[in-house]
Amino acid sequence: MTVSPSPFSGSSEDPFLACKELAAAKNANLYRAAMRLNPARQRFFLAAYASMRVIDDIVDDGFLEKSDAERDNLRDDTFDIIDRWQDQIEAAKVMADNPWPDVGPLPGPVYDALTLTLGESDLSVEPWVKLAEALRKDVAEDPLDEWDDFIAYCEGATAAPASIFVYLLSARYDDEIGYVSNLTASPLYHARDMAIFCYVIHILRDLPIDVKGPDRLVTIPGEMLLAADISIGEIRNAIGQQDYDALNVLGTFMLEKAWEHFETGQARSAELLAILEPEETDTLSRLFSVYIELAAMMDGGYGAFLADRVAIIDTTAEKSLPDQNTIVHTAKSPVDKDAPRDEAVKSAPKDNSASGSGGNNTAS
């Protein structure tokens, strides 16, 4: 049996600090938003997000970026790693012993943290199962020919992780019963379309980075490339020559699709906002505003956006989601909503959201 390559190399004995090392590595917008939550929900987010980062990085870095021959040799082993990861998630949900303590892929500290959060919640394992389905598509190298193929992929790659964040916005922690949400519809229902909107903007934002890698890391459906009469190779050449206006048509088609999902997502978000407290409403609005502002700038001309991309990314993210001084409690029991924030303070790292998307999108 192949031992999973573990991305965790930290020395912390506290499982939540171990998760923070993984979750904070890219300081993505979703991470920055989650660090505005209270400590109990931060802990759950860190455990969930770290568990997804582990398998996402294994597939992206340990498989998708390899050569054709290497991927052929690694494919079956990578499928096995995803299966074991899903076994670990399902075991953590029922607070069982780690079924794969020696070969992973989840490191022991991450498994323990997930057991103490997912295992003490009314959230199902659906988001993790859907992510596993999307990752299997990555490993199988299923083509994204049609927009519908892309949407099916998005439901696992981006909507599923976002649904955990939606769950946590609505959840409260109680010492006796754990984490409980008052959502009347599934978290995925509320998260799906806004997550897809954000993902399309994320793809357009990071296209200059992603085209530096293999074509398979550029997540644009063939239908969109055909409509724009452009290939990934031509995209790569245009960016290399800084001929950004050559990508205006592609940007227009992708943005049209993004705004369609925004309209549906906005309606479902309104249902969600009706049951959230003001603080959670503000956090969700700040997260959305990053992508809405980026999309509006792209609407003014995708080529012009790309020409000033780095400066735009820095200002939009910092304005809506400034770095937070975050708290990670090391005691086993998370504190409740009204607990004071007087524990050890950790500063968020430098924003690396301009580093490219590549593969799926658990860290947008």
Side-chain angles (χ1 to χ4, degrees), residues 12-28:
S12 173
E13 294 181 359
D14 181 274
F16 295 100
L17 291 179
C19 290
K20 187 178 189 303
E21 292 185 38
L22 286 168
K26 293 187 177 180
N27 196 24

Side-chain angles (χ1 to χ4, degrees), residues 31-363:
Y31 169 82
R32 291 158 71 101
M35 292 302 95
R36 299 176 61 86
L37 301 175
N38 72 331
R41 287 178 287 175
Q42 282 187 30
R43 287 161 55 92
F44 197 153
F45 176 84
L46 291 174
Y49 197 69
S51 71
M52 291 183 162
R53 274 258 59 86
V54 167
I55 193 64
D56 184 63
D57 289 346
I58 286 172
V59 172
D60 279 359
D61 302 335
F63 179 81
L64 289 177
E65 294 198 1
K66 301 297 184 181
S67 68
D68 291 350
E70 288 173 317
R71 294 198 315 283
D72 286 342
N73 289 331
L74 289 169
R75 201 177 314 276
D76 288 342
D77 285 343
T78 307
F79 279 130
D80 288 343
I81 291 171
I82 297 171
D83 290 344
R84 294 202 305 271
W85 177 82
Q86 187 170 333
D87 287 346
Q88 288 181 298
I89 299 299
E90 292 171 351
K93 172 60 185 174
V94 297
M95 305 185 77
D97 290 340
N98 188 344
W100 301 105
D102 298 323
V103 294
L106 283 185
V110 178
Y111 183 85
D112 292 342
L114 200 62
T115 299
L116 296 173
T117 50
L118 175 62
E120 296 184 355
S121 76
D122 61 350
L123 179 64
S124 75
V125 298
E126 181 186 24
W128 288 266
V129 171
K130 285 190 172 293
L131 175 60
E133 291 171 356
L135 292 171
R136 292 185 183 104
K137 292 177 185 291
D138 278 333
V139 176
E141 300 188 52
D142 291 345
L144 298 178
D145 292 331
E146 307 295 331
W147 186 256
D148 287 346
D149 299 329
F150 175 75
I151 295 304
Y153 176 77
C154 284
E155 293 206 344
T158 190
S163 72
I164 297 174
F165 179 72
V166 166
Y167 169 84
L168 289 173
L169 285 173
S170 66
R172 296 295 179 267
Y173 181 82
D174 181 271
D175 286 335
E176 298 296 325
I177 59 177
Y179 294 89
V180 178
S181 168
N182 62 349
L183 290 176
T184 55
S186 74
L188 185 60
Y189 166 84
H190 293 291
R192 178 185 183 272
D193 286 279
M194 283 304 293
I196 293 171
F197 166 77
C198 293
Y199 189 29
V200 175
I201 303 309
H202 172 83
I203 290 169
L204 291 172
R205 181 196 72 184
D206 289 354
L207 190 56
I209 305 299
D210 293 338
V211 295
K212 293 178 181 178
D215 287 4
R216 59 186 169 275
L217 294 182
V218 179
T219 317
I220 296 177
E223 177 182 336
M224 293 290 100
L225 296 172
L226 185 63
D229 192 24
I230 197 168
S231 68
I232 293 176
E234 289 169 331
I235 294 172
R236 187 176 289 115
N237 290 338
I239 290 173
Q241 297 168 10
Q242 298 186 6
D243 182 16
Y244 299 125
D245 286 346
L247 305 180
N248 279 335
V249 174
L250 175 64
T252 297
F253 282 119
M254 293 287 284
L255 287 163
E256 285 176 357
K257 291 291 189 180
W259 287 117
E260 289 174 8
H261 286 281
F262 174 82
E263 291 178 5
T264 302
Q266 192 173 39
R268 294 183 177 184
S269 294
E271 298 172 27
L272 175 63
L273 292 173
I275 64 171
L276 295 182
E277 298 292 334
E279 184 178 351
E280 287 81 31
T281 298
D282 180 63
T283 294
L284 187 62
S285 298
R286 285 174 179 271
L287 177 61
F288 287 161
S289 69
V290 174
Y291 294 95
I292 293 169
E293 187 171 354
L294 290 173
M297 291 181 182
M298 292 175 188
D299 267 342
Y302 182 49
F305 168 86
L306 289 177
D308 202 23
R309 171 183 174 274
V310 174
I312 290 171
I313 291 172
D314 287 344
T315 56
T316 53
E318 186 60 33
K319 182 169 61 177
S320 296
L321 290 169
D323 283 351
Q324 299 285 306
N325 284 334
T326 63
I327 304 162
V328 180
H329 286 254
T330 58
K332 176 184 181 297
S333 298
V335 297
D336 64 26
K337 181 175 185 293
D338 300 320
R341 296 172 178 253
D342 57 359
E343 300 291 330
V345 174
K346 299 273 184 179
S347 295
K350 183 180 185 296
D351 180 11
N352 292 315
S353 61
S355 60
S357 51
N360 67 74
N361 183 43
T362 63

